[in-house]
Amino acid sequence: MIKNIYTAARTVVLGTAAVALILTSTGPATAVPGEPSPSFSGRPATDSSAGKSTPSDDGPKATPQEIAEAKAAEAYWTPERIAMAVPANPDKGAGKQTSLGEMMKSPSRFDDRGVATTGVFLISQDDDPQSDPGKRDQFCSASSVTSPTKSLVISAAHCLNDNDRFRNLAFAPGWKVDPKDKSKGIAPYGVFPIKPGKIWLDGRYLSQGPARADDLDFAFLKTGPNSKGQFLENATGMGNELTTLPATGNLNQKNVTLIGFPGSAKSPLVCPSTETKAYDDRFLEIACDGFAPGVSGGPFLRNFDGKRGDLIGVIGGYKTGGKFENISYSSQFDADVVRLYNQAVNDYPPDQPSGIAGMGDAGMWRHATTAATGQFHTSSQKTKDGDLIVKWSDGEVTLYPGDQAQGFHTGCSAGQPCETQLAKPNKLWAEYADVITAGDYTGSNAYDLMVKWVDGEVTIYKDIDEKTKLPTSSDEHPSNEIKVAASGSTWKFAKGIATGKYGGNAWADDLVVRWVDGEVTKYTNVDGSGFHAEQKLLAPNDLWKNHASIIAGGDVDGSVNSDFDLFVRWADGELTLYEDLGANGLKKENKIKGPNDLWTHSRVIVPGEFGGNLWEDDVFVRWSDGEVTIYGNTQADALGREYQLVPPSAASALAPGKQAGKESCDTECGPGRLRRLTAR
């Protein structure tokens, strides 16, 4: 089951009892660096070495329902459909090397005989409340893992974003060229469906995503039997033996084979008998040619005998496996991978997203009433990272510096910016600050905060950073305060304001305003002297008056002309994007989501530059139940990958009249809670 370079105590009790694997850190075992270290064998006593015997057919038998599920998986995952599937991670190996020296890596070859323990992990229709961009049928690489269940598969966590997002998940071990037709592939052992809800990812990875949690990029999946009623290891022979490398210095391993399925390959690409080296003391690095998109999740196998070996990693981790096809990475296999393996063997409940430390809980975030994004913190002004300013129901105003990994710095770690209080709780902001937005209105290359007060006054607070102190009473007027509309002005009728680059200049100093009567107006080149170049985009109308609930500016279509798009959430939950508003006005409309109940529960929506590219295409959302998520790299026609910053509470306040103990989405909801309810 598991090897590791430390001594270990283990007890294995099958049936209803638990499987306990306890690593005891007594220091690194003595070994020649780079050579296999002393370890215990997790294989059954009757099997002294990999490949010498096949597990017997004794044990649990497939049920008629399981066989029916396997037949349905085979009917869906035909060879033609598998061949048409696209890599789930198109970034791995997509970059181009320019150095001749870098191009000279270890050679690889396709093995048309196939590898029984390695295959394609098949991913299909998303059944999450929000959609993902890209084609529905996707794949990664994966491999079988020896276990008492005879049914475990390991792949990369980045091939999945949640424990229950997909259906038609399956594993096709031994995928190889059809000897009768070289243009086709075959699954010689059949297709093994992944059991619903039997996917184990680390909760920190679910919350923090592939950038912040790149050292946890692995996932275990439990398969059902194939259509013949065979469990995975009964069909293919013993799986690969999970092997940990927890000691510093032991990431340099010899006699390692790398296997994966790049592109639409019909057979596995095998890089034989090479070596790994440590990268950043957290990752295995291996140099081998040809590992292009599709190989994510493929195994690092030490002492591979042609069928199986010691599983010391899977392609993933740093840069989700590496930007170039001739350099691949794996997260380090240590106690974290053992914990997930134990969960899978014991059939424990999978982790739930754990939230980002320091972000608070859902109860706190229910009180976040509005937010704005910009480059505020002095460190962010240099790196062009997106930060978040939040106004709370008690009037407190908080600055969260962005971490460029779909999240925010919260505490004060060495060398990192801190969450900062710009205004303590106060009545002024709690009761009178109606709308906030942010942009570079004053031309100083630093972002300013604009506030529309309930009486129609509009104020700009210039050059916000972590040292700013906002006024907390009406008789305070700091030196950076600029009044651009007086109390009693028509701005008291402004219901929504979206700052962006809408055709004025290169700065985010243009506004789109939705008025109480449904009129929509654009202003370009707003500055300290007020509002200019007013343009009516829509005359007063009932649609925008009664149904446009939230408007926000962002650049999600990826255009290079810096023309922002307008994001609209309608009262029925529909999400609409108006592309390049400066050039097109409201004419180029894209529907991101049709009417739906979930998005009626979104309360704060702020597109910003919170991820790894240069566009404001990451959509921050605070939900009615206090859950906080970011949809990273959102497209013009589809929401991006979901990152959960703050999970929903375990149990929520009940709607009036609801039965005690029953959770509901009637009054409060978010994607996490909706998944939890629909999974029941």
Side-chain angles (χ1 to χ4, degrees):
M1 282 168 277
I2 298 179
K3 282 185 178 180
N4 76 92
I5 62 160
Y6 290 161
T7 59
R10 67 188 177 104
T11 60
V12 179
V13 184
L14 300 181
T16 58
V19 177
L21 295 167
I22 307 170
L23 299 181
T24 58
S25 178
T26 59
T30 56
V32 178
E35 293 296 326
S37 305
S39 60
F40 77 90
S41 174
R43 298 188 180 100
T46 56
D47 182 19
S48 60
S49 63
K52 287 192 176 180
S53 67
T54 299
S56 71
D57 288 327
D58 296 337
K61 303 297 183 182
T63 66
Q65 180 180 349
E66 287 177 323
I67 292 176
E69 290 169 352
K71 289 180 178 179
E74 283 189 349
Y76 184 87
W77 289 111
T78 62
E80 292 77 17
R81 186 179 286 273
I82 296 174
M84 291 297 292
V86 298
N89 176 25
D91 296 329
K92 162 57 186 158
K96 300 295 183 182
Q97 292 276 28
T98 57
S99 166
L100 179 61
E102 287 295 321
M103 290 297 292
M104 299 177 66
K105 304 297 179 184
S106 299
S108 57
R109 57 175 175 77
F110 286 100
D111 186 348
D112 289 345
R113 299 169 300 175
V115 176
T117 60
T118 303
V120 286
F121 170 39
L122 304 166
I123 305 166
S124 183
Q125 180 70 40
D126 182 352
D127 64 357
D128 192 75
Q130 62 92 28
S131 60
D132 286 328
K135 295 179 68 173
R136 296 300 89 197
D137 292 331
Q138 302 174 336
F139 74 95
C140 276
S141 300
S143 58
S144 62
V145 184
T146 300
S147 79
T149 71
K150 302 181 182 180
S151 300
L152 290 191
V153 173
I154 190 170
S155 189
H158 71 256
C159 295
L160 299 158
N161 350 2
D162 212 327
N163 285 0
D164 54 4
R165 296 179 61 83
F166 304 95
R167 51 179 171 260
N168 292 326
L169 295 176
F171 178 55
W175 181 251
K176 64 177 183 178
V177 163
D178 185 343
K180 297 179 182 179
D181 185 347
K182 298 293 185 180
S183 67
K184 296 182 178 180
I186 59 171
Y189 305 101
V191 174
F192 294 78
I194 305 300
K195 284 186 167 292
K198 303 303 181 183
I199 303 173
W200 289 269
L201 289 79
D202 195 290
R204 293 165 291 178
Y205 194 93
L206 292 172
S207 296
Q208 299 172 24
R212 281 194 306 275
D214 53 8
D215 57 345
L216 299 167
D217 195 359
F218 35 74
F220 289 95
L221 308 97
K222 186 175 183 179
T223 64
N226 63 14
S227 61
K228 296 180 180 179
Q230 297 172 306
F231 290 89
L232 179 60
E233 290 187 79
N234 288 337
T236 66
M238 197 71 72
N240 299 300
E241 191 167 346
L242 185 65
T243 305
T244 60
L245 302 171
T248 300
N250 280 283
L251 301 183
N252 300 318
Q253 295 286 311
K254 293 183 178 179
N255 194 26
V256 177
T257 297
L258 188 64
I259 304 176
F261 291 84
S264 57
K266 307 301 189 298
S267 293
L269 183 68
V270 178
C271 181
S273 191
T274 183
E275 59 186 42
T276 65
K277 65 178 183 179
Y279 181 81
D280 197 27
D281 290 329
R282 299 188 300 134
F283 306 103
L284 296 173
E285 178 185 296
I286 198 166
C288 199
D289 290 331
F291 283 77
V295 300
S296 288
F300 286 56
L301 297 176
R302 191 182 64 190
N303 302 328
F304 178 62
D305 66 2
K307 296 181 178 179
R308 58 190 56 80
D310 301 330
L311 179 68
I312 62 173
V314 296
I315 297 174
Y318 177 71
K319 301 292 185 184
T320 59
K323 293 167 52 179
F324 306 114
E325 66 177 35
N326 53 10
I327 300 288
S328 298
Y329 299 90
S330 169
S331 301
Q332 181 179 359
F333 277 14
D334 53 17
D336 290 319
V337 78
V338 173
R339 184 183 70 84
L340 282 189
Y341 175 85
N342 284 339
Q343 283 187 344
V345 168
N346 288 288
D347 203 27
Y348 291 155
D351 285 2
Q352 294 300 311
S354 56
I356 296 177
M359 284 290 289
D361 61 16
M364 181 185 87
W365 279 88
R366 285 194 189 97
H367 298 284
T369 59
T370 186
T373 185
Q375 295 153 12
F376 303 112
H377 197 281
T378 50
S379 64
S380 301
Q381 293 175 26
K382 296 175 183 177
T383 60
K384 306 303 181 184
D385 294 347
D387 305 329
L388 191 75
I389 288 179
V390 179
K391 183 185 84 72
W392 304 89
S393 59
D394 64 359
E396 182 178 358
V397 182
T398 307
L399 167 62
Y400 290 94
D403 66 1
Q404 276 299 286
Q406 309 295 357
F408 305 97
H409 295 293
T410 53
C412 289
S413 303
Q416 292 183 347
C418 305
E419 172 192 348
T420 304
Q421 185 184 74
L422 303 181
K424 63 185 179 181
N426 65 91
K427 183 176 180 179
L428 175 67
W429 286 79
E431 298 184 8
Y432 302 107
D434 186 22
V435 179
I436 68 171
T437 185
D440 185 9
Y441 311 114
T442 59
S444 59
N445 290 320
Y447 268 67
D448 316 308
L449 186 68
M450 178 182 288
V451 184
K452 197 276 285 189
W453 305 91
V454 293
D455 64 356
E457 181 178 334
V458 181
T459 306
I460 292 174
Y461 294 96
K462 181 180 178 181
D463 297 350
I464 301 293
D465 63 22
E466 69 275 15
K467 298 177 183 178
T468 298
K469 294 300 178 184
L470 295 169
T472 56
S473 67
S474 59
D475 58 359
E476 294 179 27
H477 299 285
S479 60
N480 69 334
E481 181 181 275
I482 305 171
K483 184 187 294 187
V484 290
S487 174
S489 76
T490 57
W491 282 85
K492 63 185 178 182
F493 300 112
K495 298 298 291 182
I497 303 175
T499 296
K501 303 174 184 178
Y502 301 121
N505 51 37
W507 293 281
D509 60 359
D510 310 319
L511 303 181
V512 172
V513 183
R514 180 180 74 89
W515 301 91
V516 69
D517 61 359
E519 182 177 348
V520 181
T521 305
K522 182 180 76 169
Y523 298 88
T524 54
N525 303 335
V526 174
D527 57 24
S529 62
F531 306 99
H532 311 291
E534 179 182 359
Q535 178 185 353
K536 183 183 292 185
L537 301 178
L538 279 179
N541 64 91
D542 288 339
L543 175 65
W544 284 72
K545 173 184 177 180
N546 299 319
H547 301 289
S549 298
I550 300 174
I551 67 170
D555 189 11
V556 304
D557 69 347
S559 61
V560 297
N561 59 5
S562 297
D563 195 347
F564 271 38
D565 317 305
L566 187 69
F567 190 100
V568 183
R569 196 273 277 175
W570 301 89
D572 61 0
E574 181 177 335
L575 303 180
T576 301
L577 187 86
Y578 294 93
E579 280 191 72
D580 295 340
L581 185 133
N584 302 314
L586 296 172
K587 297 176 182 178
K588 192 174 182 181
E589 177 182 352
N590 288 337
K591 183 183 293 186
I592 296 178
K593 283 193 73 66
N596 64 93
D597 289 336
L598 173 66
W599 279 83
T600 64
H601 289 280
S602 58
R603 296 293 180 263
V604 178
I605 299 177
V606 184
E609 199 271 289
F610 306 127
N613 59 34
L614 300 177
W615 295 286
E616 290 78 1
D617 60 358
D618 311 306
V619 181
F620 172 96
V621 185
R622 195 275 286 177
W623 302 90
S624 61
D625 63 355
E627 181 179 355
V628 177
T629 54
I630 284 181
Y631 295 93
N633 301 326
T634 290
Q635 308 295 309
D637 58 355
L639 291 166
R641 180 170 182 168
E642 177 188 321
Y643 299 91
Q644 188 179 77
L645 278 61
V646 177
S649 59
S652 314
L654 298 175
K658 290 294 177 182
Q659 182 181 350
K662 295 291 186 180
E663 212 179 340
S664 157
C665 259
D666 290 351
T667 58
E668 295 180 342
C669 208
R673 179 178 300 174
L674 185 57
R675 282 193 292 274
R676 189 164 69 210
L677 292 173
T678 55
R680 291 176 177 175

